Amino acid sequence: MATIRDVARRAGVAPSTVSYVFNGSRSISEETRRRVREAVDALGYHPRASARTLRSSRTQVLALALPRAAGLQDSVDGRFAIDVSDAANALGYDLLLSTSQDKAGGLRRVALSGLADAAVLMAVDMEDARIDVVRELAFPAALIGRPADEDALPWTDLDWEEAASLAVGELAAAGHREMVYLAPGESEVRARRSYALRGIAGARRGARTTGAAVTVVHSLDDPGRLAHRLGALLGDHRTGRGAGKRPTALIVQHPSAHHHILTSMNAAGLRVPEDLTVVMIGTLPGDPSSHRLPRIELPVETLATEVTRLAVAAAAALREATGRGAEASTRLLAESVGQLLIRPVLLPGSDPLGSPTR
């Protein structure tokens, strides 16, 4: 069986450098990482045999990887943490929370610690670096989010693309021809966050399908700045511009804007639904502030329950696949455990979709 010294010798580095590559505790050049990973693949090395042995005895702990910046509060993340914890407890597991913004490094530390049987990964990017960590360390994980490589790992997600397309289609059917799609912030798009890119793709698909004009803009976390942006985009009814040209509908996807969108609209001098029809995507179930608006809710409890089940099943599948190699094991894991894509449902609000000719 290959050792860490064998990997170091083949890669031409010190054994400590191999450890740093695995645990993310030091800054290592991409060239060095590449050489180490090639050596790992060539030798079939599995890091920390002792940690694998510990995992095979089952710790009855799941790790929840929830990257977050210090000081920021996100009601969606908090709701998921609670529901994943409840789902884990129902299956006889405790929950270990990891909030490192260094996604790959944080997962390495959890995987190599031997403290958890598997991980649930949130804040999924289209090309998520943690997938490579899972393959590298043969550590079972399931995603709340749909990566570009859908066969990489088990995952569950709302169909954000279909949700956005559905919202555009329903508004177009009600007669709206000019719409604004308030997408997640630019930082989410730059990070290639899955839900953000898929939502935008769905809005554009809906525009192509219906022939409606859909302007995609990015949301802002600050209500005042968002009010200014909305006023510039949607406030043309006060200037006498033709009603057939100005946007008559707003679709809101960004989670941080959900709780203050009506306040921002009021600050921009816009009335809902008199001046504008608003449809929300990804609201929290049971949130009374969103019930007046047509909406597509984020099925948090279902997603949390299913991803926890997938993570536990992944751990079992990977135990059965021991000895097949990291890459083969993770592929088998995804194939045997599977994925779940949840179709969106547009719920009515007390405000109707409305006609653009009000």
Side-chain angles (χ1 to χ4, degrees):
M1 179 181 294
T3 68
I4 195 170
R5 292 186 180 278
D6 296 328
V7 173
R9 190 178 303 111
R10 187 180 184 95
V13 299
S16 59
T17 300
V18 177
S19 296
Y20 297 149
V21 169
F22 287 148
N23 62 34
S25 60
R26 297 281 182 89
S27 177
I28 302 295
S29 72
E30 190 54 40
E31 171 62 21
T32 299
R33 289 184 185 277
R34 182 189 62 77
R35 296 207 313 270
V36 169
R37 286 171 180 163
E38 288 177 352
V40 166
D41 291 341
L43 296 173
Y45 172 69
H46 291 269
R48 281 287 299 274
S50 60
R52 293 201 315 277
T53 301
L54 179 60
R55 286 202 297 273
S56 69
S57 65
R58 303 181 66 177
T59 64
Q60 295 302 116
V61 173
L62 293 180
L64 175 61
L66 178 56
R68 61 180 303 275
L72 292 182
Q73 296 185 13
D74 190 321
S75 57
V76 175
D77 288 348
R79 179 72 172 270
F80 266 113
I82 291 170
D83 283 4
V84 169
S85 176
D86 289 346
N89 289 335
L91 293 176
Y93 283 77
D94 291 316
L95 197 68
L96 172 69
L97 183 62
S98 172
T99 59
S100 174
Q101 289 184 272
D102 177 7
K103 291 183 177 181
L107 182 59
R108 279 196 181 93
R109 288 189 290 275
V110 168
L112 294 173
S113 71
L115 294 174
D117 293 336
V120 171
L121 310 182
M122 291 186 60
V124 173
D125 303 329
M126 291 292 280
E127 297 83 19
D128 202 296
R130 293 171 296 184
I131 293 174
D132 290 336
V133 174
V134 169
R135 289 171 173 167
E136 182 181 294
L137 303 183
F139 182 67
L143 314 174
I144 301 179
R146 183 183 176 191
D149 182 359
E150 297 182 12
D151 297 325
L153 291 177
W155 55 264
T156 183
D157 202 5
L158 174 67
D159 191 338
W160 292 97
E161 182 172 343
E162 181 60 27
S165 180
L166 173 63
V168 172
E170 291 295 323
L171 285 165
H176 296 273
R177 307 309 300 167
E178 301 275 341
M179 310 176 200
V180 170
Y181 191 84
L182 190 62
E186 293 177 351
S187 61
E188 298 282 270
V189 174
R190 285 195 301 270
R192 293 188 57 75
R193 195 62 53 79
S194 174
Y195 85 100
L197 296 186
R198 293 186 186 279
I200 293 170
R204 290 173 173 156
R205 172 159 65 89
R208 291 192 301 272
T209 301
T210 64
V214 180
T215 302
V216 175
V217 298
H218 297 290
S219 184
L220 297 166
D221 292 331
D222 179 79
R225 294 177 61 206
L226 180 59
H228 179 76
R229 178 166 291 185
L230 291 174
L233 287 166
L234 306 169
D236 289 347
H237 68 287
R238 294 175 294 183
T239 69
R241 182 177 161 190
K245 295 295 184 181
R246 68 173 179 82
T248 59
L250 173 69
I251 303 169
V252 182
Q253 186 195 359
H254 194 214
S256 68
H258 287 164
H259 68 282
H260 63 68
I261 187 64
L262 292 178
T263 300
S264 296
M265 297 280 288
N266 290 336
L270 295 161
R271 299 169 301 163
V272 178
E274 291 83 2
D275 298 324
L276 200 70
T277 294
V278 176
V279 175
M280 309 279 273
I281 298 179
T283 59
L284 289 175
D287 180 3
S289 66
S290 64
H291 281 184
R292 72 173 274 196
L293 302 172
R295 65 203 180 279
I296 295 171
E297 292 184 343
L298 183 62
V300 178
E301 183 177 359
T302 299
L303 290 170
T305 300
E306 289 301 315
V307 78
T308 304
R309 180 188 63 79
L310 287 172
V312 170
L318 205 57
R319 282 195 296 271
E320 294 175 2
T322 299
R324 304 191 189 190
E327 178 71 17
S329 295
T330 49
R331 285 290 174 181
L332 174 65
L333 182 156
E335 291 169 4
S336 62
V337 174
Q339 300 90 18
L340 176 65
L341 184 63
I342 300 175
R343 291 188 63 81
V345 176
L346 183 63
L347 300 176
S350 56
D351 290 347
L353 286 178
S355 165
T357 56
R358 285 186 286 266

